[in-house]
Amino acid sequence: MKIDDISSPELHDDLRNQLCSQIESSINDIEKHVPATAALPDSFSTYLRRTLSQLNSLSPFPNSLKLHIWKLSYRLWNACVDLSNSNAAGIQKHHEEHAKLRQVSADLLFLAADVSGIPSPAFKSASFFNKTGLIWHDLRKFELANYCFEKASDLLSKVDITNVSEYEEKKLLLDLNIARSRTAWEVSDRNLAIALLSRSKNVLFAFADNYKSLANQYLMFGKAMLSKNEVSGVNEALKLMNEALELCERGLTVVKRTGETLALKELRSKTLRFLGASHLQRDEFESVLKCVKVLRDGEKDQHPSLSVLAMKAWLGLGRFGEAEKELRGMVVDKGIPEGVWVSAVESYFQVVGAAGAPAVKGVFLGLLGRCNVSADAAIRVVNKVIGDPAGGGEEARLRAKVVSDLVSDDRILTLLNGDDASKERTAMHALLWNCAAEHFRSKDLQTSADIFEKSMLYVPSNIESRNLRAKGFRVLCLCYMGLSQLDRAQEYINEAAKLEPNIASAFLKFKIYLQKNKCDGAITQMQALPSCLDFTTEFLSLAAHEAIACHCLPVAVSSLSLLLNFYSTGKQMPTTEVVVFRTLVTILAQDPQNDSDILKQMKRAHSRLREMSAENFFGKGEIGRRERNWFSVNAWNLGVKTGQENQYAICAEFFRLASEFYGASIDEEKEGNHVMVCKSLIMTVSAIISDEKLRTNTLLENEVKEAISLLDRAGKMLMSSSTQYDKLEAIIEPNFLFVYTCCAFDLHSRLDDTGSQQLLLIKSFANSKCCNPKHLLQIGIDASQGPSSNHEVAIFALSTCLSTLLALPSPDYASVALIVRKLVSLRSIHGVDTNDDATMETYKQAYRIMVGLKEGEYPVEEAKWLSMTAWNRAAIPVRMGHMDEAKRWMSMGLELANKVPGMQTYSSCMKDFIAGFEKKLSGA
């Protein structure tokens, strides 16, 4: 059966009483609840609201029941008051349950709002709803709060003012309007919020608290708008604060009691300060100064924010001197909190910049002497003075100078020296370190060194910090190296090495020796690098680069030489071994006196080549071929260079190395550059023979055989490419074939029973297209001289050369004359008894050559020599009684004399002598 179906009045009364009893029972339970032992259960509010709903459906109530409900409401309200004072009030859930019970109490009272016998029941009900709404507002349940405020407003509109004082009514109405306004503001209904505040002006009455409450709410709204830092918000904030100021002014004209006026004046000063802040945000600096002046002169207000407002206003007007006065005034004002003056220092420095750094330093040091400044404040000030040092410049340098003076002050050092300031000390060190690092990156090394030194003041001298101190010393070493203050840099790195003996310190010592151009010291230090525990081979490579940059080539050579020792150990290396060898040779080649050292390193490279194979040493593919060609070409070029300098022993070594490098095969190559191998071998033997001639020492038999074996290798390579000797010019240049022939002839001449082999060698060469008259002439001359001369080879070579020259369109008669003389000499020496006709034939050939030549075309001196020697050859036959032979030689001499310009007198005398000689023979 539903309650609505019950129509009997008696049943209605019973149900009302039953429901009231249930409500009373619940209230009893609430009153007995101990919040310290358990949280307030939500069953209370749920049950009471349901019962209240049932009771509401049984209205209207008799006055006696209304009185009972009234009492129950007050009991529940008082129980809620007790609960709010309990320890459980700090629990959010308890707050919400408490608010729900307050809501039930207010709703209960509302059921009996028209009870008789109680003065102003509607006013009291409205008061309950107002207080409940405030609780919902604090819980940010704005809809419930608004419901309560609206209920209270409706109830107040029905209040019989005869039973309520006008002050009480207007006070409640004022509080209610302000509360509704706050709730509307929270839900962004600002128009309603402002309208409710405006409506409240009509219920102020002549009490200071009313004016203060309303003005304070205007101020709160203004501060909220000001905090958003928007242009429209600042303008709206300014209007709201002006309303607050106006209310303060009105209140001061109405209220006369001293105690009440003090509160209004304090609020007025506060409002003026925020008005000044609003004007500051709008850049209305003159208005800010007016607010400050009013506060200082009229209100005698010495609030700490006034100095900040005034300073910022003067800064905005560009009057930095006045701003500095305000800043310095804070030093003597002990009432200014630390956070305020630190903020002022930051603002001042942000506007004035580096020019204000000295003033900031003076203010801060003054504050240190006046009051207990915290370590955090010191760090904030230093950070602001440092600013952004990136990029360097004069401003950053000036800032750094002030920072240096500031952080080295004994008062700041003392401030950050305690054990309880270790965190702040670390922060200060990091701040200074980062500042110095930025100056270092900007190449301002002097400033960087100064700040790094000051940062060391904030590193404790304990064991835990030794690595950090060593790091500081190393970076200071770098700074002073950059400033070329090498002695000071060395002092710092020595200190770093004592604290942390690692590779970084050792390498910096090495760099200092380099910059001092102490090569011996640098080499000694470099050789000590591998002894460091954290050594890696990259440091030797880096040492070589540093030495090259300092033009200290001996150090670079030593570094790379030491680096090469590690390749056989299997360690991880910074680059390939062949690159190190190539770099080393390149460095050594810069000094022309280093040929022997280059030879040593190239031999070392060749040794590693034989150990590793060509592909492992040079590399694979095109890279390997390029590396091989580099070593081959450089060995060849160095061989040529040393040969031109007559250093034939070294020259031979270089050419022999060239043959080995050229012969190395890469990838799928069956063999290397066999042509260059052949050339290198030929040049090797040539250099060996040249060195023998230069030193005038005879090659030993084993050396001769070794040289012959090299030539044999070259010969086999030539023949493997061309089986016909006359086609070799397609493979190798004629000059190299000539050198090969000469060397082979020379070496074979030292062995027994090789005469026929020599002649065969020269004949083969003479028949090749590579041969030319100059080659044959040289071979002929060489074969005719020395202890191992071969006249057969010499005569053959000279004769062939003569025939070749005479076959030319324009023979070189100077060479022809030289060959004729050589042939005459050879045949005279080796054929005086057996081959005199051959000698005569040579003279006749010379005569036939001179026939038809222009005067002087055949060398005159050589022609005279032929004539005179032919004539003189008759002397021996005359003595021997061979008159016909003597006459033949005299006739030859005369015929030659007739062809020589300037021998007419000789010719006449010869004719006369021959005539007399013939008469004598006839008479006999």
Side-chain angles (χ1 to χ4, degrees):
M1 182 176 64
K2 296 182 179 180
I3 293 176
D4 293 341
D5 298 333
I6 301 173
S7 58
S8 173
E10 291 79 4
L11 290 174
H12 270 255
D13 291 340
D14 290 341
L15 285 172
R16 290 182 189 125
N17 292 331
Q18 183 181 353
L19 291 172
C20 286
S21 297
Q22 292 175 357
I23 291 173
E24 186 174 6
S25 176
S26 296
I27 293 173
N28 289 335
D29 292 339
I30 293 172
E31 289 174 337
K32 293 176 183 178
H33 178 74
V34 181
T37 59
L40 190 66
D42 56 1
S43 59
F44 286 136
S45 62
T46 303
Y47 180 75
L48 284 172
R49 293 191 67 80
R50 185 171 64 249
T51 307
L52 180 62
S53 178
Q54 293 174 356
L55 183 62
N56 189 31
S57 66
L58 297 175
S59 61
F61 308 120
N63 195 65
S64 59
L65 185 61
K66 290 179 180 179
L67 285 172
H68 185 59
I69 292 173
W70 187 274
K71 292 177 182 178
L72 291 175
S73 173
Y74 262 87
R75 280 183 61 191
L76 180 58
W77 186 270
N78 291 333
C80 290
V81 171
D82 293 337
L83 288 172
S84 67
N85 294 329
S86 68
N87 293 333
I91 304 174
Q92 177 69 17
K93 183 178 179 181
H94 182 89
H95 276 306
E96 293 184 7
E97 289 303 314
H98 167 241
K100 290 177 182 178
L101 292 176
R102 293 255 188 174
Q103 184 72 56
V104 172
S105 176
D107 288 338
L108 268 174
L109 201 61
F110 182 71
L111 287 178
D114 56 348
V115 65
S116 300
I118 294 178
S120 302
F123 181 83
K124 291 182 173 61
S125 180
S127 176
F128 271 33
F129 276 111
N130 179 48
K131 292 176 181 178
T132 304
L134 291 174
I135 294 174
W136 284 123
H137 181 91
D138 292 340
L139 293 173
R140 303 193 68 77
K141 305 290 184 180
F142 300 122
E143 291 185 4
L144 294 173
N146 191 55
Y147 165 79
C148 292
F149 293 144
E150 288 180 353
K151 277 282 191 180
S153 297
D154 291 339
L155 287 168
L156 278 180
S157 64
K158 302 173 184 178
V159 171
D160 183 6
I161 61 173
T162 58
N163 297 318
V164 181
S165 67
E166 185 180 2
Y167 170 73
E168 290 177 347
E169 178 192 2
K170 291 188 175 182
K171 175 62 176 172
L172 179 58
L173 186 57
L174 175 64
D175 293 343
L176 188 58
N177 284 341
I178 291 174
R180 285 185 66 193
S181 175
R182 289 172 54 218
T183 302
W185 186 273
E186 291 291 347
V187 296
S188 300
D189 192 354
R190 293 180 183 172
N191 291 331
L192 176 60
I194 301 303
L196 287 169
L197 290 185
S198 298
R199 191 185 303 173
S200 301
K201 293 179 181 179
N202 299 322
V203 291
L204 288 175
F205 212 61
F207 286 94
D209 287 345
N210 295 353
Y211 283 98
K212 181 181 176 183
S213 297
L214 186 57
N216 190 61
Q217 194 58 55
Y218 270 112
L219 179 60
M220 294 299 293
F221 286 166
K223 288 166 62 178
M225 296 297 293
L226 189 64
S227 65
K228 294 187 177 182
N229 203 20
E230 300 173 355
V231 176
S232 59
V234 174
N235 294 335
E236 187 65 26
L238 200 59
K239 293 178 183 178
L240 293 171
M241 290 178 186
N242 279 322
E243 288 285 352
L245 184 62
E246 184 179 347
L247 284 169
C248 291
E249 298 286 356
R250 284 174 54 192
L252 288 171
T253 59
V254 172
V255 178
K256 301 301 181 181
R257 287 191 292 271
T258 303
E260 295 178 345
T261 57
L262 286 175
L264 281 173
K265 286 182 179 180
E266 183 178 343
L267 182 59
R268 178 176 178 269
S269 297
K270 184 178 181 181
T271 305
L272 278 170
R273 289 195 296 272
F274 278 100
L275 270 173
S278 301
H279 287 302
L280 188 64
Q281 278 192 284
R282 297 178 61 178
D283 293 339
E284 297 172 350
F285 303 117
E286 295 288 353
S287 298
V288 176
L289 292 173
K290 288 179 182 178
C291 290
V292 173
K293 182 175 177 58
V294 170
L295 286 167
R296 284 178 171 173
D297 297 343
E299 303 297 330
K300 306 299 180 182
D301 190 354
Q302 298 299 327
H303 193 275
S305 64
L306 294 183
S307 296
V308 179
L309 285 172
M311 183 198 72
K312 290 184 177 181
W314 289 123
L315 289 174
L317 293 171
R319 297 173 66 176
F320 301 138
E322 299 294 336
E324 186 178 338
K325 287 180 182 178
E326 292 288 348
L327 187 63
R328 292 187 180 278
M330 296 181 189
V331 177
V332 298
D333 189 352
K334 296 185 178 181
I336 297 179
E338 180 182 280
V340 173
W341 61 255
V342 171
S343 176
V345 166
E346 292 176 338
S347 300
Y348 176 81
F349 205 78
Q350 185 174 356
V351 176
V352 179
V360 169
K361 182 184 74 172
V363 168
F364 184 68
L365 294 178
L367 288 167
L368 281 173
R370 177 180 63 79
C371 59
N372 293 325
V373 176
S374 69
D376 286 336
I379 292 172
R380 283 181 62 185
V381 170
V382 170
N383 185 37
K384 182 56 66 174
V385 175
I386 288 174
D388 183 11
E394 189 59 36
E395 179 178 344
R397 193 175 297 111
L398 179 58
R399 287 171 177 261
K401 178 65 171 65
V402 174
V403 167
S404 177
D405 295 340
L406 200 59
V407 299
S408 59
D409 189 273
D410 291 339
R411 286 166 289 186
I412 293 185
L413 291 172
T414 303
L415 181 65
L416 295 174
N417 194 35
D419 294 337
D420 55 343
S422 59
K423 183 179 178 181
E424 289 79 7
R425 186 166 56 247
T426 302
M428 179 68 84
H429 176 268
L431 199 62
L432 295 173
W433 183 279
N434 293 336
C435 173
E438 287 296 338
H439 284 285
F440 188 89
R441 281 188 280 270
S442 302
K443 308 301 181 184
D444 187 359
L445 299 180
Q446 186 62 58
T447 302
S448 177
D450 186 28
I451 300 300
F452 273 128
E453 285 178 343
K454 297 305 185 292
S455 73
M456 296 292 288
L457 298 173
Y458 296 91
V459 180
S461 300
N462 51 30
I463 296 176
E464 292 79 7
S465 303
R466 63 186 304 163
N467 290 349
L468 187 59
R469 291 182 66 81
K471 183 180 178 182
F473 285 133
R474 284 195 297 270
V475 78
L476 281 167
C477 170
L478 287 173
C479 291
Y480 285 109
M481 284 175 66
L483 293 169
S484 298
Q485 297 180 26
L486 301 179
D487 291 337
R488 194 165 183 180
Q490 193 163 26
E491 291 176 7
Y492 278 119
I493 201 57
N494 288 338
E495 292 298 320
K498 292 176 184 177
L499 294 170
E500 189 180 15
N502 57 10
I503 188 65
S505 299
F507 190 77
L508 286 176
K509 284 184 178 181
F510 165 77
K511 287 190 65 174
I512 292 173
Y513 279 119
L514 277 181
Q515 292 192 17
K516 285 185 173 183
N517 202 25
K518 294 182 177 180
C519 291
D520 293 339
I523 291 173
T524 302
Q525 184 62 35
M526 178 271 298
Q527 291 172 343
L529 294 180
S531 63
C532 296
L533 295 177
D534 53 345
F535 165 78
T536 60
T537 52
E538 285 84 352
F539 282 95
L540 289 177
S541 178
L542 185 59
H545 286 292
E546 292 287 346
I548 293 170
C550 293
H551 305 288
C552 197
L553 300 186
V555 179
V557 171
S558 298
S559 300
L560 293 176
S561 299
L562 182 59
L563 179 61
L564 287 171
N565 293 337
F566 289 92
Y567 279 91
S568 58
T569 63
K571 288 187 176 182
Q572 185 177 358
M573 304 304 290
T575 186
T576 58
E577 188 172 5
V578 69
V579 171
V580 179
F581 273 117
R582 173 161 47 82
T583 306
L584 186 54
V585 170
T586 303
I587 295 171
L588 288 169
Q590 296 183 32
D591 187 348
Q593 305 301 319
N594 285 338
D595 294 334
S596 58
D597 293 329
I598 296 174
L599 178 61
K600 176 183 176 182
Q601 297 302 330
M602 280 203 163
K603 282 185 175 180
R604 190 176 178 185
H606 176 251
S607 176
R608 290 291 292 166
L609 169 64
R610 296 181 65 181
E611 292 175 12
M612 299 172 60
S613 81
E615 289 187 358
N616 291 333
F617 182 73
F618 290 123
K620 297 181 179 180
E622 186 60 30
I623 293 176
R625 281 188 284 273
R626 283 202 300 267
E627 293 289 356
R628 178 195 62 188
N629 293 341
W630 189 91
F631 277 88
S632 304
V633 169
N634 276 273
W636 175 274
N637 291 340
L638 286 164
V640 172
K641 171 183 174 291
T642 51
Q644 292 171 344
E645 296 171 352
N646 296 333
Q647 300 181 59
Y648 296 116
I650 297 178
C651 171
E653 296 283 357
F654 277 124
F655 279 124
R656 191 161 187 176
L657 284 171
S659 71
E660 296 292 339
F661 289 133
Y662 276 122
S665 60
I666 305 293
D667 293 339
E668 301 300 325
E669 293 177 343
K670 293 183 179 179
E671 57 185 4
N673 190 338
H674 64 278
V675 174
M676 290 306 299
V677 173
C678 181
K679 290 181 180 180
S680 300
L681 290 171
I682 293 171
M683 294 303 294
T684 301
V685 177
S686 176
I688 291 172
I689 295 172
S690 298
D691 182 58
E692 178 195 34
K693 293 177 180 178
L694 180 67
R695 293 186 293 110
T696 65
N697 289 333
T698 304
L699 290 174
L700 300 177
E701 183 178 352
N702 63 328
E703 292 175 336
V704 172
K705 290 180 179 179
E706 183 181 2
I708 290 175
S709 68
L710 294 176
L711 278 182
D712 289 344
R713 276 183 60 196
K716 289 176 182 178
M717 296 181 74
L718 289 173
M719 294 308 164
S720 65
S721 301
S722 176
T723 56
Q724 299 182 19
Y725 203 82
D726 59 353
K727 293 183 179 180
L728 289 176
E729 67 274 8
I731 304 168
I732 192 168
E733 293 88 338
N735 287 338
F736 283 99
L737 192 57
F738 166 68
V739 174
Y740 169 80
T741 304
C742 288
C743 291
F745 173 80
D746 183 278
L747 292 172
H748 284 292
S749 69
R750 301 166 191 255
L751 303 177
D752 297 333
D753 302 326
T754 57
S756 58
Q757 188 176 351
Q758 287 179 297
L759 183 60
L760 180 62
L761 177 70
I762 301 304
K763 285 182 178 181
S764 298
F765 175 69
N767 292 331
S768 70
K769 294 181 180 180
C770 299
C771 180
N772 63 51
K774 290 183 179 180
H775 293 160
L776 290 172
L777 177 59
Q778 185 64 47
I779 291 172
I781 293 173
D782 290 343
S784 65
Q785 298 174 352
S788 302
S789 61
N790 188 325
H791 72 279
E792 292 183 7
V793 172
I795 290 173
F796 171 78
L798 292 173
S799 299
T800 306
C801 177
L802 182 60
S803 300
T804 305
L805 283 174
L806 294 175
L808 295 175
S810 299
D812 181 7
Y813 288 106
S815 298
V816 169
L818 176 61
I819 293 170
V820 170
R821 180 191 280 253
K822 283 289 183 182
L823 284 172
V824 169
S825 300
L826 285 170
R827 285 170 173 163
S828 298
I829 294 171
H830 297 287
V832 65
D833 296 326
T834 60
N835 203 16
D836 204 41
D837 290 340
T839 306
M840 174 58 74
E841 184 59 31
T842 302
Y843 278 96
K844 288 180 179 181
Q845 187 179 12
Y847 175 76
R848 290 192 295 269
I849 291 170
M850 285 187 279
V851 173
L853 294 182
K854 296 178 182 179
E855 185 177 334
E857 193 169 358
Y858 191 95
V860 175
E861 294 300 322
E862 290 297 323
K864 286 182 179 180
W865 181 85
L866 285 172
S867 175
M868 298 301 292
T869 55
W871 181 269
N872 292 337
R873 279 181 178 274
I876 295 175
V878 169
R879 292 194 191 97
M880 306 256 325
H882 301 160
M883 299 304 174
D884 292 337
E885 183 69 17
K887 184 178 178 182
R888 192 168 58 129
W889 280 113
M890 285 189 284
S891 296
M892 188 73 255
L894 177 61
E895 289 176 3
L896 288 170
N898 290 332
K899 296 294 183 182
V900 180
M903 288 193 70
Q904 291 80 5
T905 304
Y906 286 100
S907 178
S908 178
C909 293
M910 286 178 180
K911 288 178 182 179
D912 294 341
F913 185 83
I914 291 173
F917 183 73
E918 288 177 346
K919 287 180 180 180
K920 186 177 180 179
L921 288 177
S922 300

